[in-house]
Amino acid sequence: MEGIRFSVVVPVFNEEEVLPETYRRLTEVMEGLAAPYEIVFVDDGSKDQSPEILDGLARRDPRVRVIHFSRNFGHQAAITAGMDHARGEAVIVIDADLQDPPEVIPQMVAKWQEGYEVVYGKRAKREGETLFKRFTASFFYRLLRVVTEIDIPLDTGDFRLVDRKVLEVMKLLREKNRFIRGLVAWVGFRQVALEYVRHRRFAGTTKYPLRKMLKLAWDGITAFSNKPLKVAAYLGFALSFLSFIYLLVIVVSKLLGKSTVPGWASLAVINLFFSGVILIILGIMGEYLGRIYDEAKNRPLYIVDRIVESEKGNERSS
Ligand code: UDP
Ligand code: MG
């Protein structure tokens, strides 16, 4: 495709502190590969100076392209847009904050040249992240493994290289509540893990508050598993069985002439317990229902405001 070998896709949301350094290190690594490449920055509705910084880079460097969203659509939407617009034979997705070291890219490329079509980064170690984040992340990836049918590798993020062939398949998957690392696992092909140490953020703070983390976690589970829906049925059977035994107990004690009048406490507890169970199950059904609604509306995954690239960039062949 237009002779570009590598596309680097970088989602950006309010990353003004890191962008110049990200650009510098990415450029250094990519130039070392001695093949035509492009860097596609996706500005996910940043409110700081990121858009201006990125446009400046694009004006100076014909290998840089910037896709500006009309508002914040989220990390997964930004990655999707970058993959949609990438022209390279291999596409590398990397966060802007330098937690995923660009210096790992040549190793990914080496695996790709060996014939692997997906090379995904596996976090051997996480530096500079809170205990809470590490614990919840590790719990989540293990839970995901238990409830989903497909084999989503443990402790992988969105730092990966995908071959053009895989990319074209990924572009066909337009589901709205996206969990891209799951989609990549789902498509198959020859995949291999590459272990790396996840560093601390170069600067700035996380753009993933708990709310967004929980949303991503729900998307991961609901997109790849219907098991939570079955919980209702399992609980229903189990509780009916227990109720039946309790019924026998009541009948027998009545026949034996034992008083059955005291017991408002047990009634209250049973009532509260069942109300809780029913509400939880309604909530789970609601999560799925909301996602079905999102699919039915079929709105685009993101809206592009403008694309910035230098004039030379349009004509160049390298
Ligand atoms: N990001 C984005 N849109 C968002 C949130 C984050 O494009 O709504 C980008 C962010 O700029 C970064 C990457 O996604 O390049 C990962 O975000 P972050 O580093 O804040 O997440 P964490 O590493 O803390 O999980
Ligand atoms: Mg980060």
Side-chain angles (χ1 to χ4, degrees):
M1 294 218 167
E2 298 170 45
I4 294 180
R5 195 94 197 276
F6 302 112
S7 299
V8 184
V9 168
V10 191
V12 174
F13 180 52
N14 295 342
E15 301 282 10
E16 59 184 5
E17 302 100 324
V18 302
L19 284 176
E21 180 67 7
T22 306
Y23 169 73
R24 191 189 66 74
R25 275 177 58 189
L26 271 177
T27 305
E28 202 173 290
V29 167
M30 295 314 292
E31 279 178 352
L33 290 171
Y37 72 90
E38 63 174 0
I39 304 181
V40 182
F41 286 103
V42 183
D43 162 30
D44 186 10
S46 299
K47 294 265 188 292
D48 63 358
Q49 290 299 306
S50 302
E52 287 73 25
I53 296 174
L54 291 175
D55 289 353
L57 293 175
R59 270 193 297 273
R60 265 182 286 131
D61 185 345
R63 294 165 305 192
V64 171
R65 233 165 357 130
V66 188
I67 297 160
H68 293 280
F69 280 0
S70 61
R71 63 166 170 84
N72 180 248
F73 279 89
H75 184 204
Q76 304 289 300
I79 294 176
T80 305
M83 291 172 82
D84 289 345
H85 287 83
R87 301 170 181 154
E89 289 163 36
V91 177
I92 298 128
V93 178
I94 186 167
D95 284 354
D97 59 2
L98 295 171
Q99 279 195 285
D100 312 322
E103 291 70 28
V104 175
I105 293 175
Q107 297 170 42
M108 291 186 160
V109 169
K111 292 270 181 213
W112 176 61
Q113 280 160 343
E114 279 173 33
Y116 290 103
E117 283 136 343
V118 175
V119 187
Y120 56 87
K122 186 167 161 46
R123 300 152 179 171
K125 216 170 116 200
R126 287 164 160 252
E127 287 176 353
E129 287 182 305
T130 59
L131 199 64
F132 176 74
K133 171 107 186 191
R134 278 190 319 224
F135 175 76
T136 48
S138 142
F139 173 75
F140 169 67
Y141 286 111
R142 277 153 190 84
L143 174 72
L144 200 61
R145 162 147 295 198
V146 173
V147 298
T148 58
E149 272 95 53
I150 57 154
D151 201 9
I152 298 175
L154 289 177
D155 300 316
T156 64
D158 286 309
F159 182 30
R160 70 168 62 76
L161 178 152
V162 293
D163 181 79
R164 165 72 35 196
K165 189 161 84 182
V166 179
L167 189 85
E168 291 302 326
V169 177
M170 298 276 305
K171 278 158 80 172
L172 299 175
L173 310 175
R174 304 311 283 180
E175 57 193 73
K176 311 295 171 205
N177 296 287
R178 301 171 80 72
F179 186 65
I180 293 174
R181 53 203 84 160
L183 294 177
V184 174
W186 183 83
V187 296
F189 296 99
R190 268 159 295 170
Q191 309 212 357
V192 67
L194 187 74
E195 294 219 341
Y196 73 103
V197 177
R198 191 158 158 92
H199 295 285
R200 63 183 69 241
R201 242 177 187 280
F202 175 72
T205 52
T206 177
K207 307 299 178 297
Y208 256 95
L210 188 61
R211 177 178 52 81
K212 280 189 186 173
M213 250 164 67
L214 285 176
K215 162 89 170 75
L216 186 69
W218 263 118
D219 285 344
I221 291 170
T222 54
F224 293 97
S225 172
N226 289 332
K227 278 194 191 143
L229 286 173
K230 295 180 188 151
V231 167
Y234 296 146
L235 271 179
F237 283 123
L239 293 173
S240 307
F241 181 70
L242 290 178
S243 309
F244 183 71
I245 292 179
Y246 190 46
L247 181 142
L248 291 181
V249 171
I250 293 172
V251 170
V252 169
S253 51
K254 181 88 190 169
L255 291 178
L256 295 179
K258 293 207 174 122
S259 162
T260 53
V261 174
W264 78 267
S266 58
L267 278 180
V269 167
I270 290 169
N271 198 348
L272 284 173
F273 176 72
F274 278 86
S275 308
V277 168
I278 289 167
L279 284 176
I280 289 170
I281 288 168
L282 273 178
I284 291 174
M285 294 175 81
E287 291 287 342
Y288 282 87
L289 184 68
R291 284 168 174 78
I292 296 171
Y293 187 41
D294 285 340
E295 296 298 332
K297 284 184 288 193
N298 200 23
R299 291 181 187 159
L301 297 172
Y302 54 85
I303 297 171
V304 175
D305 172 16
R306 64 209 154 86
I307 297 181
V308 177
E309 55 192 329
S310 68
E311 290 299 314
K312 268 203 310 243
N314 284 327
E315 317 163 347
R316 73 169 189 278
S317 62
S318 71

